[in-house]
Amino acid sequence: MSAPRTPRKVLGRLSLPERTFVADALRTETVGGVLLLVAAVASLIWANVGALSDSYETVSHFHIGPESLGLDLSIEHWAADGLLAIFFFVAGIELKRELVAGDLRDPKAAALPVVAALCGMAVPALVYTLTNVLGGGSTDGWAVPTATDIAFALAVLAVIGTSLPSALRAFLLTLAVVDDLFAILIIAVFFTDSIDFAALGGAFLGLAVFWLLLRKGVRGWYIYVPLALVIWALMYNSGVHATIAGVAMGLMLRCSRREGEQHSPGEHIEHLVRPISAGLAVPLFALFSAGVSISGGALGEVFTRPETLGVVLGLVVGKTLGIFGGTWLTARFTRASLSDDLAWPDVFAVSTLAGIGFTVSLLIGELAFEGDAALTDEIKAAVLMGSLIAAVLATVLLKVRNTRYRRMIEAEERDDDLDGIPDIYEEDDPEYHLRMAAIHEAKAAEHRRIAEEQRARLAEVTGGAGEENDRRA
């Protein structure tokens, strides 16, 4: 007779290797997110201060690059099509690692972030579409509020000083990885107007060579970097968005460790490239994409025009309801149950935090309304406004539970035996309990020694006082 299966915990404690990876990844993303936040603020100042606004337009629209290769692009386009390819390259590696070594490897564990991400994209798109159908606006921007910006979300956490437990942070990271995958598919399928099959064929040939070199174990950045640039240029000229080349190359890297390897090639490359992506590529994209004219009237119009109102409602309402609803449905109709350390309001707060859409939302906004500069700027303003509202709401909700989070993190970090491994991960190890017994025995012996010394001093004081009283008598 088989033993009953233990119900799987939703957002339960991570394994130690996964927790270490998440901590390292989020540390870099948080620093990059702060830089992203600084770049966005600098962009808004640059674009709205009278003496500087003209120079912002001049620099953003300055063209550079070989025209003969079809790469005579503005600085703004280089940031969106070139630098974001690095961001999507890292996203591809993250996705590959999750599929072969992370939470997405187990179909049961993968169900939660996948369902939550799908609902977190479908509901905002539905909210946007309904808003514009009822308001008589354009439905072309349905995909704008579907993306979550993990770097910006973590930047908000760093700024407000809220420390999420590792399980919630991992959920947010995995959710964003799946979110990025579907955003890439949306860009590839819905925002490709015409295709140059010769250039696309050349890009696929380059990807085949890239994959073959990886399979043969060929090493050397001087081989892969030039090849990657050729693949990117061909993909750009094919009409398919050039960032697809980045995610394709990221997915080709091996992310499983072999015997004797401390890190897989994918993990090693990600460790090298992630700081470039988070610290340089994405902030520069924000610098040249977030610079929209902001005024009281313009901000007021965000809530009156159906296209912009749909973006705000999609990010603030759609993302929250979609992710929370998807998570609840997964727990409701499977054998999964919520971790004992967390409550559903925690999931709701993180769902609200996922409403911060920036990098990919701005990119999709540019693609959706290409050719209408005025509406594109209004959509960007709506993305900023929706992200700001989501950040404020998440801040309030997370602050309510912040004391509880601190206690959870202290328990996760506690290391009484000083072996470098948190005690919570060694509860089933007999050697850990032997070490702790020795520590407690040493402390008990020290306390006994102190007690004996105090008892002896008390006896001397008591005895001395008695003799003195006798003499007086």
Side-chain angles (χ1 to χ4, degrees):
M1 185 174 179
S2 60
R5 291 182 296 174
T6 303
R8 184 174 59 82
K9 292 292 183 182
V10 172
L11 304 180
R13 189 169 72 240
L14 304 177
S15 65
L16 184 58
E18 186 69 11
R19 180 176 175 270
T20 302
F21 170 81
V22 168
D24 292 340
L26 293 182
R27 191 177 299 113
T28 305
E29 290 286 2
T30 301
V31 173
V34 173
L35 293 176
L36 176 61
L37 188 60
V38 171
V41 173
S43 177
L44 290 172
I45 294 174
W46 191 2
N48 286 276
V49 174
L52 300 175
S53 58
D54 290 340
S55 65
Y56 181 81
E57 291 293 325
T58 301
V59 174
S60 297
H61 296 128
F62 180 77
H63 279 244
I64 188 173
E67 187 175 356
S68 59
L69 298 178
L71 298 176
D72 182 22
L73 308 178
S74 67
I75 297 295
E76 183 180 358
H77 277 104
W78 275 112
D81 293 285
L83 292 177
L84 277 195
I86 302 174
F87 166 79
F88 279 106
F89 175 71
V90 174
I93 300 176
E94 289 177 341
L95 178 61
K96 180 68 173 290
R97 201 205 75 85
E98 289 291 335
L99 289 171
V100 301
D103 288 342
L104 301 183
R105 176 182 56 179
D106 179 6
K108 293 181 180 178
L112 176 65
V114 170
V115 171
L118 283 173
C119 293
M121 299 184 83
V123 177
L126 181 61
V127 169
Y128 176 93
T129 302
L130 288 175
T131 302
N132 281 271
V133 168
L134 296 176
S138 171
T139 58
D140 292 344
W142 63 270
V144 175
T146 60
T148 294
D149 194 308
I150 181 64
F152 220 131
L154 292 172
V156 170
L157 288 179
V159 171
I160 66 177
T162 301
S163 297
L164 281 177
S166 58
L168 284 176
R169 286 176 170 258
F171 173 65
L172 186 61
L173 180 62
T174 307
L175 182 76
V177 170
V178 179
D179 190 290
D180 285 341
L181 170 64
F182 289 111
I184 292 163
L185 293 176
I186 287 173
I187 292 172
V189 174
F190 295 99
F191 297 103
T192 300
D193 296 328
S194 61
I195 296 179
D196 184 333
F197 287 99
L200 185 61
F204 280 129
L205 179 60
L207 288 171
V209 173
F210 189 89
W211 177 81
L212 185 61
L213 292 174
L214 290 173
R215 292 281 293 179
K216 294 295 183 181
V218 178
R219 297 185 178 183
W221 65 268
Y222 48 84
I223 295 174
Y224 289 102
V225 172
L227 179 58
L229 290 174
V230 171
I231 295 170
W232 173 85
L234 288 169
M235 189 69 74
Y236 176 82
N237 282 285
S238 72
V240 177
H241 201 270
T243 53
I244 304 301
V247 73
M249 287 184 279
L251 286 169
M252 290 182 180
L253 292 174
R254 177 170 61 83
C255 292
S256 57
R257 301 178 188 179
R258 292 176 179 172
E259 188 176 352
E261 286 185 341
Q262 186 176 4
H263 301 287
S264 67
E267 291 172 324
H268 177 67
I269 297 299
E270 181 186 12
H271 179 73
L272 295 175
V273 179
R274 184 187 286 275
I276 300 174
S277 169
L280 180 66
V282 176
L284 282 177
F285 167 77
L287 183 65
F288 293 107
S289 293
V292 295
S293 298
I294 300 295
S295 64
L299 292 178
E301 290 177 0
V302 166
F303 299 98
T304 58
R305 182 159 184 165
E307 292 88 352
T308 51
L309 180 60
V311 170
V312 174
L313 292 178
L315 289 172
V316 178
V317 179
K319 271 289 184 182
T320 303
L321 295 181
I323 293 174
F324 179 81
T327 306
W328 185 85
L329 288 172
T330 303
R332 174 68 177 81
F333 293 104
T334 66
R335 292 179 57 84
S337 60
L338 191 66
S339 173
D340 296 333
D341 294 327
L342 300 172
W344 284 110
D346 300 317
V347 182
F348 188 84
V350 174
S351 302
T352 305
L353 186 64
I356 300 176
F358 193 76
T359 306
V360 181
S361 291
L362 291 176
L363 176 62
I364 294 177
E366 292 180 355
L367 297 174
F369 298 102
E370 190 174 6
D372 191 339
L375 184 53
T376 299
D377 283 348
E378 291 174 0
I379 291 294
K380 289 180 179 180
V383 170
L384 295 175
M385 179 59 69
S387 299
L388 177 61
I389 295 173
V392 171
L393 289 176
T395 298
V396 174
L397 294 173
L398 291 170
K399 282 292 186 182
V400 172
R401 294 273 291 173
N402 203 32
T403 302
R404 174 64 174 169
Y405 294 152
R406 281 200 297 268
R407 288 199 296 266
M408 291 175 63
I409 289 177
E410 288 171 1
E412 289 182 355
E413 298 291 339
R414 189 172 181 177
D415 184 18
D416 288 339
D417 60 344
L418 303 177
D419 65 344
I421 300 175
D423 296 340
I424 201 168
Y425 290 97
E426 299 183 290
E427 294 174 346
D428 296 329
D429 182 5
E431 294 298 324
Y432 161 74
H433 291 287
L434 290 175
R435 289 195 300 272
M436 290 304 301
I439 291 172
H440 288 306
E441 287 171 2
K443 289 182 178 179
E446 179 65 15
H447 285 299
R448 281 193 293 268
R449 182 187 66 78
I450 295 172
E452 290 296 334
E453 290 178 355
Q454 291 178 340
R455 189 178 291 115
R457 280 198 299 269
L458 184 62
E460 291 177 1
V461 171
T462 304
E467 292 173 3
E468 186 177 340
N469 290 335
D470 291 341
R471 283 195 296 272
R472 288 175 179 172

